[in-house]
């Protein structure tokens, strides 16, 4: 998919070899050069230490650029994965965040597909073999997804000038989870009006419109969904599935048999799953397909790791914390599963709806793998063939005190440091350069990163970063706008939910009715301490219809 006059592969390779003063200083470090050699020769697993939170994004961005291969970063929770993604996003657009799946164990009339579409967008780019950086959490890594070949089988390519079988296209849309509507309004919809076909795939910021001349594709273009105006003309487009879980002929029969077997084992009526079984047999639409995952044969199930190219690099951030998190995930899920099972919202097979970390460890070990800890530590899961140190430290904040900045810059310049200042914007960068000039500090404002930075130079560029950092042994530092001005780049304001819509335990009285965004209306019954596999935690207890109870960990509120 792309504009007709797109650059060729040769041009792209030449562009990737251009200098980049943001990351190229690392090439002067012996440990970094040896690390690249070990990766190229597949001498892994490798252990690194010294890389801290502030420069982890920078370091993995450098690996992606210098090696020209996919990098999958695995960290211990969703918050950290978002922070790493944001840092890398400040350097490049060649990065994706793969969030964990939101599994609804209750039937709902409507639920957001935004997260699912984000995940599908990542899988689509991996299917295209793009050398991107993917940042994910352990929670997301443990999600079971369909194997790459099934995803590929239900992805079709349409090309300008080719004959189109309209019936086959409609069948592909339906199999891929698209919804037919009179006029599309969002991702996952398609419409057919005579010789005009509109559709909105998950990997695109805009929908597509195909116009036919008889049965031949006469044009393919993107268009603005609000104005209906055409944007870009393209010569081909791929249409991937819009649902992560597809119900396909390859495993539909075994899926039905597995569900029937679970229902027969149960002594209770499960109207929800009996209804699902009827819908499966009648080829009807099932909105909450995640509940069918345990019944798909193992041969059709994988993790995101299987979507990576064979030479992709897996980078595990703080492996000990990842291992600890895997145990917490298991404990939390087992408790949740027990409650759901008692409430007849799940069946016995749903205990296996996700992978366990130990299931994926052998697969990870077969890959090119780096484990990184801020401090050197042993690891029972990975026995490194080589260990490299990259001593790093954070940058102090100057709080707009330009005289303090002047003193430090003169000190670092005298010691031969290469200094990059990320000013956040061109206007701020130009203003900062003038301020430094008034203080007799020579600096250069540079937008294009292709210049080479030398010892004792200060480059100011309009990029941003959450926090600055220093590679101590390299005499290379990156100072962010937060350190200089005391504040970082302002984030877009997020509209907060109304006070009435939030579940806040501090204002609740026993007996109050509360609304949970996933589980609906229940009655607050107080705080209860539970001992789950030796771990004591306080939980909010909410009573639902019948004997259904929901326990919410207070530390996650």
């Amino acid at each position: 998919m792309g504009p007709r006059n797109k650059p060729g592969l040769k041009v792209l390779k030449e562009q990737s070899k251009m200098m980049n003063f943001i990351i190229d200083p690392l090439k002067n470090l012996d440990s970094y050069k040896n690390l690249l050699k070990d990766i190229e020769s597949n001498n892994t697993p490798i252990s690194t230490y010294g890389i801290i939170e502030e420069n982890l994004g920078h370091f993995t961005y450098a690996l992606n650029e210098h090696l020209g291969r996919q990098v999958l970063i695995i960290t211990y929770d969703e918050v950290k994965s978002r922070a790493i993604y944001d840092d890398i996003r400040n350097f490049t657009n060649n990065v994706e965040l793969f969030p964990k799946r939101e599994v609804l164990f209750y039937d709902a009339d409507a639920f957001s597909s935004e997260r699912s579409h984000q995940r599908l967008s990542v899988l689509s780019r991996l299917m295209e073999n793009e050398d991107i950086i993917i940042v994910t959490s352990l929670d997301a890594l443990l999600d079971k997804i369909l194997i790459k070949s099934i995803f590929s089988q239900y992805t079709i390519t349409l090309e300008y000038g080719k004959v189109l079988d309209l019936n086959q296209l409609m069948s592909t849309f339906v199999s891929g989870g698209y919804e037919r509507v009179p006029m599309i309004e969002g991702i996952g919809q398609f419409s057919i009006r005579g010789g005009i076909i509109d559709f909105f795939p998950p990997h695109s910021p805009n929908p597509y419109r195909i116009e036919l001349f008889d049965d031949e594709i006469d044009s393919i273009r993107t268009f603005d969904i609000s104005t209906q105006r055409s944007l870009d003309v393209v010569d081909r487009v791929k249409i991937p599935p819009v649902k992560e879980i597809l119900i396909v002929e390859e495993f539909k029969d075994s899926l039905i048999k597995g569900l029937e077997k679970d229902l027969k084992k149960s002594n209770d009526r499960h109207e929800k799953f009996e209804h699902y079984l009827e819908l499966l047999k009648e080829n009807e639409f099932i909105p909450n397909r995640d509940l069918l995952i345990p019944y798909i044969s193992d041969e059709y199930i994988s993790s995101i790791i299987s979507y990576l190219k064979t030479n992709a690099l897996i980078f595990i951030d703080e492996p000990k914390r990842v291992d600890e998190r895997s145990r917490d995930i298991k404990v939390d899920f087992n408790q949740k599963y027990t409650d759901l099972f008692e409430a007849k919202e799940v069946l016995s097979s749903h205990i296996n709806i996700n992978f366990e970390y130990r299931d994926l460890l052998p697969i990870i070990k077969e890959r090119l793998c780096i484990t990184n800890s801020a401090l050197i530590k042993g690891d029972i899961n990975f026995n490194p063939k080589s260990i490299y140190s990259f001593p790093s430290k954070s940058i102090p904040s100057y709080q707009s005190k330009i005289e303090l900045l002047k003193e430090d810059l003169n000190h670092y310049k005298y010691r031969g440091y290469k200094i990059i200042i990320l000013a956040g914007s061109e206007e701020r960068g130009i203003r900062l350069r003038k301020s430094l000039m008034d203080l007799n500090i020579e600096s250069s404002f540079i937008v294009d990163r292709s210049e080479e930075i030398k010892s004792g130079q200060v480059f100011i560029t309009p990029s941003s970063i959450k926090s600055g950092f220093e590679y101590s042994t390299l005499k290379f530092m990156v100072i962010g706008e937060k350190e200089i001005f005391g504040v970082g780049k302002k984030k877009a304001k997020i509209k907060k939910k109304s006070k009435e819509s939030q579940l806040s335990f501090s204002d609740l009285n026993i007996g109050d009715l509360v609304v949970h965004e996933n589980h609906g209306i229940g009655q607050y019954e107080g705080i209860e301490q539970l001992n789950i596999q030796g771990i004591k935690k306080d939980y909010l207890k909410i009573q639902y219809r019948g004997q259904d109870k929901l326990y919410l960990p207070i530390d996650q509120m």
Side-chain angles (χ1 to χ4, degrees):
M1 174 181 60
R4 292 183 186 175
N5 295 324
K6 56 187 177 184
L9 183 61
K10 184 177 180 182
V11 174
L12 290 175
K13 285 184 177 178
E14 288 173 355
Q15 288 174 347
S16 69
K17 293 179 181 178
M18 290 174 62
M19 287 191 294
N20 184 336
F21 65 71
I22 291 283
I23 56 175
D24 283 351
L26 283 171
K27 291 181 177 179
N28 297 320
L29 205 57
D30 286 341
S31 54
Y32 185 76
K33 288 187 286 188
N34 291 331
L35 172 66
L36 295 184
K37 287 178 184 177
D38 275 348
I39 294 171
E40 293 286 6
S41 60
N42 201 16
N43 186 36
T44 66
I46 301 167
S47 175
T48 62
Y49 68 96
I51 301 167
I52 57 177
E53 183 174 347
E54 286 83 352
N55 67 327
L56 191 147
H58 175 266
F59 191 85
T60 48
Y61 163 58
L63 290 176
N64 172 255
E65 285 288 309
H66 291 150
L67 293 167
R69 61 177 71 191
Q70 294 170 346
V71 179
L72 173 65
I73 303 170
I74 302 168
T75 191
Y76 46 84
D77 65 27
E78 291 276 290
V79 175
K80 183 70 180 292
S81 66
R82 165 60 72 174
I84 296 171
Y85 166 78
D86 287 341
D87 272 351
I88 299 174
R89 189 70 174 75
N90 286 321
F91 296 121
T92 179
N93 293 327
N94 198 39
V95 60
E96 293 280 359
L97 179 67
F98 189 73
K100 69 177 181 179
R101 177 189 286 129
E102 288 182 329
V103 178
L104 288 178
F105 290 98
Y106 299 86
D107 275 339
D109 294 331
F111 51 88
S112 172
S113 299
E114 182 179 351
R115 182 169 292 216
S116 178
H117 294 157
Q118 183 180 355
R119 289 164 55 90
L120 286 164
S121 177
V122 178
L123 297 181
S124 296
R125 293 191 70 179
L126 291 176
M127 289 291 297
E128 289 288 296
N129 289 320
E130 294 184 42
D131 291 328
I132 59 174
I133 305 169
I134 311 101
V135 188
T136 194
S137 65
L138 177 64
D139 301 66
L141 183 74
L142 301 183
D143 288 335
K144 292 183 176 181
I145 58 179
L146 291 179
I147 57 174
K148 192 175 180 180
S149 59
I150 292 290
F151 197 88
S152 177
Q153 182 180 336
Y154 288 86
T155 298
I156 63 168
T157 302
L158 303 181
E159 294 188 47
Y160 168 75
K162 296 293 181 71
V163 173
L164 177 66
D165 185 329
L166 199 55
N167 289 328
Q168 183 182 359
L169 178 63
M170 286 183 61
S171 175
T172 300
F173 276 132
V174 173
S175 298
Y178 287 79
E179 176 190 11
R180 185 170 184 176
V181 294
M183 180 175 288
I184 65 171
E185 297 177 343
I187 292 173
Q189 297 178 336
F190 78 100
S191 71
I192 299 177
R193 305 185 306 280
I196 298 176
I197 305 158
D198 293 344
F199 59 94
F200 204 150
H203 62 288
S204 173
N206 295 296
Y208 285 83
R209 175 164 292 157
I210 292 177
E211 295 183 10
L212 300 179
F213 181 75
D214 195 13
D215 60 352
E216 185 178 296
I217 297 176
D218 191 49
S219 72
I220 307 174
R221 64 188 70 213
T222 58
F223 68 94
D224 186 290
I225 199 167
S226 56
T227 65
Q228 298 290 304
R229 284 188 170 185
S230 295
L231 298 174
D232 296 316
V233 176
V234 299
D235 55 15
R236 60 191 290 271
V237 60
K238 282 200 172 186
I239 308 176
V242 77
K243 297 287 185 186
E244 286 189 60
I245 303 303
L246 307 179
I247 301 169
V248 297
E249 294 302 321
E250 285 86 345
F251 53 73
K252 182 179 174 182
D253 287 343
S254 63
L255 195 155
I256 290 172
K257 289 177 183 176
L259 190 51
E260 286 177 334
K261 183 179 178 181
D262 252 11
L263 287 170
K264 285 178 182 177
K265 285 194 301 184
S266 175
N267 296 323
D268 301 308
R269 286 289 306 276
H270 289 269
E271 294 182 5
K272 176 172 70 176
F273 291 106
E274 289 170 0
H275 180 55
Y276 280 15
L277 195 56
E278 291 176 12
L279 293 175
L280 279 169
K281 291 178 177 179
E282 297 297 325
N283 292 319
E284 295 290 334
F285 181 74
I286 297 177
N288 191 1
R289 301 182 181 191
D290 294 341
L291 291 179
L292 301 178
I293 292 173
Y295 304 103
I296 300 174
S297 302
D298 288 346
E299 61 186 298
Y300 298 109
I301 289 293
S302 66
S303 74
I304 189 175
I305 296 172
S306 70
Y307 280 71
L308 301 174
K309 293 161 73 170
T310 54
N311 73 341
L313 177 65
I314 296 178
F315 187 99
I316 302 179
D317 171 44
E318 298 292 348
K320 275 200 168 183
R321 292 194 66 175
V322 170
D323 191 60
E324 290 167 1
R325 173 64 183 151
S326 72
R327 293 193 287 272
D328 289 343
I329 289 173
K330 186 175 181 179
V331 170
D332 292 344
F333 178 76
N334 286 345
Q335 176 61 46
K336 183 176 183 180
Y337 170 80
T338 300
D339 294 340
L340 289 167
F341 189 81
E342 291 176 357
K344 300 182 181 63
E345 293 292 348
V346 295
L347 297 171
S348 58
S349 293
H350 287 102
I351 192 70
N352 299 314
I353 198 167
N354 294 319
F355 287 113
E356 289 191 26
Y357 186 43
R358 65 184 181 187
D359 299 329
L360 299 181
L361 272 173
I363 300 170
I364 294 172
K365 290 177 182 179
E366 290 175 357
R367 294 281 192 153
L368 287 161
C369 181
I370 294 177
T371 62
N372 176 72
S373 302
L375 303 173
I376 189 166
K377 303 173 184 175
D379 190 339
I380 59 171
N381 292 321
F382 297 92
N383 184 23
K385 294 183 179 179
S386 53
I387 301 174
Y388 294 106
S389 171
F390 297 94
S392 312
K393 59 184 180 181
S394 57
I395 301 293
S397 177
Y398 298 98
Q399 297 289 334
S400 297
K401 295 174 182 176
I402 203 73
E403 286 292 333
L404 289 178
L405 177 63
K406 172 191 172 181
E407 288 179 16
D408 277 2
L409 288 179
N410 281 329
H411 170 72
Y412 287 120
K413 281 167 64 70
Y414 176 76
R415 292 183 59 196
Y417 268 67
K418 298 174 182 178
I419 306 164
I420 296 171
I421 299 176
L422 305 182
S425 67
E426 286 197 27
E427 180 184 356
R428 216 171 217 184
I430 292 170
R431 195 165 65 242
L432 177 61
R433 181 179 179 273
K434 185 179 182 303
S435 297
L436 293 180
M437 190 184 302
D438 293 341
L439 296 170
N440 296 317
I441 295 178
E442 185 178 345
S443 64
S444 303
F445 179 76
I446 301 174
V447 176
D448 183 2
R449 297 178 186 171
S450 61
E451 292 195 34
E452 180 183 3
I453 186 169
K454 297 178 180 178
S455 296
Q457 285 189 315
V458 178
F459 280 8
I460 302 172
T461 191
S463 302
S464 298
I465 195 170
K466 182 181 177 183
S467 299
F469 51 86
E470 174 190 338
Y471 290 93
S472 307
T473 55
L474 185 59
K475 293 187 177 182
F476 171 55
M477 66 192 311
V478 176
I479 304 174
E481 56 179 324
K482 176 182 174 183
E483 284 77 37
I484 295 177
F485 303 108
V487 292
K489 186 177 180 181
K490 290 184 179 179
K491 294 183 178 179
K493 290 184 179 179
I494 299 173
K495 187 177 180 181
K496 294 184 178 179
K497 295 180 182 178
S498 64
K499 187 174 181 181
E500 290 80 6
S501 71
Q502 293 178 338
L503 191 60
S504 175
F505 69 89
S506 59
D507 300 323
L508 292 176
N509 297 311
I510 292 176
D512 284 352
L513 295 179
V514 294
V515 181
H516 189 278
E517 60 182 351
N518 290 335
H519 308 303
I521 299 174
Q523 189 174 51
Y524 174 61
E525 291 195 349
I527 297 173
E528 187 170 327
Q529 188 176 79
L530 301 179
N531 188 327
I532 302 169
Q533 295 191 4
I535 300 174
K536 290 184 178 181
K537 285 185 178 180
D538 289 334
Y539 291 77
L540 258 69
K541 182 180 178 182
I542 300 174
Q543 180 74 44
Y544 284 85
R545 185 179 57 189
Q547 299 300 311
D548 295 352
K549 299 181 184 69
L550 176 64
Y551 291 93
L552 297 174
I554 286 180
D555 58 5
Q556 294 180 20
M557 298 295 293

